[in-house]
Amino acid sequence: NALFLVLVCCSFFLGSCSIASIPEQTMTITIPDAAAFYSGSDLQEIADEMKESGSDYCTDARAVDGLLILELTEKQRDNLVEKNNAFIQQLMDPFFDSDPSYSFEASEDYSELTFYYDEKLPKAIEATAVFGVVGAYGYNHTLMSKTSDWSIHVKIFNCHTKKLAFDNWISYGE
């Protein structure tokens, strides 16, 4: 009976109490000014847009001494990466639509990109796909690695001959 009374009292008190949620830990991620270079915006504009995008994407964003400083939780970081991946898909759609033999591979950690296409790819689409995607993957790499080292290993092969046309690291940051 005493045990029953204790259980009833505990359930009464616990049922009427709310457990305060523990705020998620935030991380600070520093993104070099290459973000502005690739986006066509200045860092302050990017920081303002990040803050205006709402709490799904960051806790705070600010431009300081040529760097974009993001304060975010792991969930916010994952949301940013997901949003950026949708943007990458938009950049790549014209590339894929140009020729069914064109393809693109990327490492899971966002540090390596491999493109397969030929000289028939229109230069405007090539610039958007390669240049834009390198910047976007650099951003994801920085978000996931939590360092300001924005380095992407890029390879370009001819899609028909498999001959290597370009192999280099594109690096920004530290």
Side-chain angles (χ1 to χ4, degrees):
N1 286 339
L3 179 58
F4 176 75
L5 185 59
V6 169
L7 289 175
V8 169
C9 288
C10 285
S11 62
F12 173 76
F13 287 116
L14 290 176
S16 64
C17 295
S18 63
I19 299 173
S21 62
I22 300 170
E24 281 190 73
Q25 290 272 331
T26 59
M27 61 184 92
T28 301
I29 297 179
T30 303
I31 299 179
D33 63 355
F37 176 73
Y38 276 101
S39 72
S41 301
D42 72 23
L43 288 177
Q44 189 58 55
E45 288 173 358
I46 295 170
D48 292 344
E49 287 173 16
M50 292 288 299
K51 286 192 271 192
E52 291 168 9
S53 66
S55 62
D56 287 342
Y57 299 105
C58 73
T59 303
D60 189 32
R62 59 194 180 281
V64 179
D65 297 329
L67 300 170
L68 178 62
I69 312 295
L70 300 178
E71 299 287 337
L72 35 79
T73 65
E74 189 171 327
K75 176 69 174 154
Q76 289 169 327
R77 181 194 62 191
D78 293 346
N79 289 345
L80 270 178
V81 169
E82 186 176 313
K83 181 179 179 181
N84 202 35
N85 284 341
F87 174 70
I88 290 166
Q89 186 60 49
Q90 287 178 344
L91 291 176
M92 292 303 293
D93 283 344
F95 174 86
F96 293 128
D97 292 344
S98 297
D99 188 313
S101 61
Y102 295 171
S103 63
F104 162 76
E105 298 170 357
S107 64
E108 286 187 31
D109 69 352
Y110 300 99
S111 66
E112 294 187 38
L113 299 171
T114 305
F115 296 89
Y116 297 89
Y117 60 93
D118 60 20
E119 67 282 350
K120 294 177 187 171
L121 179 66
K123 295 300 175 198
I125 294 173
E126 179 182 33
T128 300
V130 176
F131 188 71
V133 170
V134 166
Y137 265 77
Y139 182 61
N140 279 353
H141 178 66
T142 301
L143 288 170
M144 296 307 290
S145 67
K146 303 176 196 170
T147 71
S148 59
D149 175 27
W150 188 330
S151 300
I152 305 296
H153 186 198
V154 179
K155 294 181 187 178
I156 300 172
F157 289 90
N158 181 292
C159 61
H160 306 292
T161 66
K162 305 301 184 224
K163 182 179 177 184
L164 182 64
F166 181 85
D167 182 2
N168 209 339
W169 283 90
I170 299 175
S171 302
Y172 303 94
E174 295 176 346

